[in-house]
Amino acid sequence: MTSTEKQSEPNQPAVVLRGVQHSFRKFKALVDINFDVPAQSLHGFVGPNGAGKTTVLKLICTLLKPQTGKVEVFGRDVATDYLAVRRRLGFMPDHFSMYRQMTVYEYLDFFAAAYGLPVETRTKVLDDVLELTDMGGRRTDLINGLSRGMQQRVGLARVLVNDPDILLLDEPASGLDPRARIELMDVLRALRSMGKTIIISSHILSELAELCDSVTIIDRGTIRYCGTMPGLLDHQAEYPTYRLTSAEPLNGLRDKLSKSAGIMSVEEIEGSPDVRVAFDPEQLDSNGVLRAAMDAGITVTGFSRAQRHLNQAFMDLTEKGVR
Ligand SMILES: Nc1ncnc2c1ncn2[C@@H]1O[C@H](COP(=O)(O)OP(=O)(O)O)[C@@H](O)[C@H]1O
Ligand SMILES: [Mg+2]
């Protein structure tokens, strides 16, 4: 690939989806999908089973043809410019079969040849991807004998052989034990620091919380949120909420505080003596809340912006019931 082919506009998103709908016969799997993925970021794509994650990823990687709407990868339309898109993209499906009687090296060499890498450069490329995925010591092992975590890393090494600028990983952490999952996340961080864009899907939001720069939440073929992780915690919170810590038990004081003007609710925080205070910003600001607490006789020892729990944010954004 020439360097000119790899160049993109500065600040151009890696992926753009606009007005994308997709039906399987009469069933509308994607209702109206719009979101952007910033270039060189680690982006989480999260939703319950059946939400439409795999369908969206297949549209981005040109395995499905868009029916309605537009999908662009680095400014290239996936419908018309699919060869250019494929050259820059690596897709790791959720279930993939491997040639289990091959060694790790034979397997990767086979795909390097399939990608058209010349023999002279292949050894160097394979050494690099084996090192990146920390599989260098396993190159002569049969794939059959590897753990699921290691097979997953060989799958990742396979998509890296083509040196893609964007990686789409469909639920790569599912079925991995905690250690293998953490190790996989470390590899993904290393890839991001090399300037790659990574989209990683999962049905568990908390799994991606520490890893991702930004996140898209999908439910029933509709995007519910697209933005930063901290933004997600604030998103849709009805009233600004602060966490209040007191030196002594609050007991009756809590009732007194909740009756103050502009205080909407005072809730206990499970497993903690602190309370969560929500207020109406039209009537009060955070200083006003602090003043009300002191007027109620509370000795305040801590007062900070409360964030919703990640799982709660996810539950609020997605609907009940299995699809
Ligand atoms: N090839 C297909 N034929 C019919 N229905 C499909 C097909 N692929 C996906 N679906 C349906 O579309 C919806 C979204 O599927 P999918 O994108 O695989 O969701 P996710 O990856 O979030 O679990 C699901 O209800 C699924 O049953
Ligand atoms: Mg899926």
Side-chain angles (χ1 to χ4, degrees):
M1 193 172 300
T2 64
S3 57
T4 42
E5 256 183 289
K6 283 209 160 200
Q7 275 168 11
S8 315
E9 299 284 320
N11 303 325
Q12 180 189 48
V15 177
V16 173
L17 286 98
R18 290 287 174 273
V20 173
Q21 302 178 10
H22 206 88
S23 298
F24 296 104
R25 296 174 194 255
K26 284 192 176 154
F27 176 70
K28 208 162 196 182
L30 303 181
V31 180
D32 182 24
I33 301 289
N34 301 281
F35 71 95
D36 294 4
V37 177
Q40 304 193 349
S41 68
L42 239 163
H43 188 82
F45 190 42
V46 184
N49 290 331
K53 302 181 294 295
T54 299
T55 308
V56 168
L57 293 179
K58 282 187 175 167
L59 283 165
I60 298 172
C61 77
T62 78
L63 282 179
L64 274 178
K65 211 170 163 201
Q67 295 167 344
T68 314
K70 195 175 71 171
V71 182
E72 284 180 0
V73 177
F74 295 116
R76 307 282 190 121
D77 191 318
V78 298
T80 52
D81 234 353
Y82 55 91
L83 288 178
V85 170
R86 282 180 198 173
R87 269 199 291 273
R88 297 188 66 176
L89 184 144
F91 174 53
M92 189 160 97
D94 50 354
H95 296 105
F96 53 93
S97 47
M98 291 184 136
Y99 303 109
R100 301 173 73 88
Q101 296 307 324
M102 278 182 166
T103 66
V104 169
Y105 194 88
E106 284 166 347
Y107 179 79
L108 295 176
D109 195 42
F110 171 78
F111 278 97
Y115 279 126
L117 260 69
V119 180
E120 314 83 74
T121 54
R122 239 185 268 165
T123 315
K124 168 88 178 81
V125 169
L126 294 195
D127 282 348
D128 287 350
V129 297
L130 283 167
E131 195 192 319
L132 245 171
T133 50
D134 205 15
M135 288 298 286
R138 300 285 185 156
R139 59 177 64 213
T140 54
D141 285 23
L142 276 184
I143 289 180
N144 215 1
L146 298 176
S147 67
R148 168 134 175 90
M150 284 191 191
Q151 288 189 3
Q152 197 71 288
R153 273 191 271 161
V154 176
L156 186 58
R158 184 186 106 184
V159 285
L160 289 173
V161 162
N162 194 33
D163 193 21
D165 293 316
I166 176 163
L167 281 166
L168 309 182
L169 311 175
D170 198 2
E171 308 228 16
S174 71
L176 297 188
D177 63 45
R179 166 169 277 278
R181 192 174 294 157
I182 290 165
E183 286 171 355
L184 175 72
M185 304 294 169
D186 285 343
V187 175
L188 299 185
R189 284 193 191 96
L191 291 170
R192 173 186 43 191
S193 69
M194 293 166 67
K196 297 194 187 296
T197 308
I198 302 160
I199 304 181
I200 170 172
S201 81
S202 174
H203 57 277
I204 306 166
L205 178 63
S206 50
E207 189 173 274
L208 301 181
E210 282 175 37
L211 179 74
C212 292
D213 308 306
S214 54
V215 65
T216 294
I217 308 263
I218 181 171
D219 184 37
R220 295 170 196 245
T222 309
I223 301 299
R224 304 284 178 184
Y225 175 81
C226 181
T228 62
M229 279 285 180
L232 172 63
L233 294 170
D234 284 339
H235 187 67
Q236 285 188 342
E238 212 177 346
Y239 293 110
T241 305
Y242 276 68
R243 184 179 179 127
L244 190 147
T245 314
S246 169
E248 68 264 7
L250 291 175
N251 298 336
L253 299 176
R254 203 169 53 222
D255 287 344
K256 206 171 157 202
L257 175 62
S258 60
K259 288 193 184 101
S260 307
I263 303 283
M264 305 312 290
S265 67
V266 182
E267 287 171 15
E268 283 178 46
I269 297 176
E270 213 174 305
S272 150
D274 300 359
V275 289
R276 214 183 269 119
V277 186
F279 61 93
D280 177 2
E282 309 239 314
Q283 299 185 55
L284 272 185
D285 60 7
S286 55
N287 280 337
V289 177
L290 202 49
R291 217 171 294 121
M294 290 192 288
D295 289 348
I298 297 168
T299 310
V300 178
T301 55
F303 189 62
S304 60
R305 185 85 199 256
Q307 290 198 318
R308 279 190 306 166
H309 193 272
L310 215 49
N311 287 341
Q312 190 56 48
F314 184 65
M315 295 301 279
D316 290 350
L317 286 167
T318 54
E319 283 175 36
K320 269 195 210 148
V322 182
R323 193 187 190 196

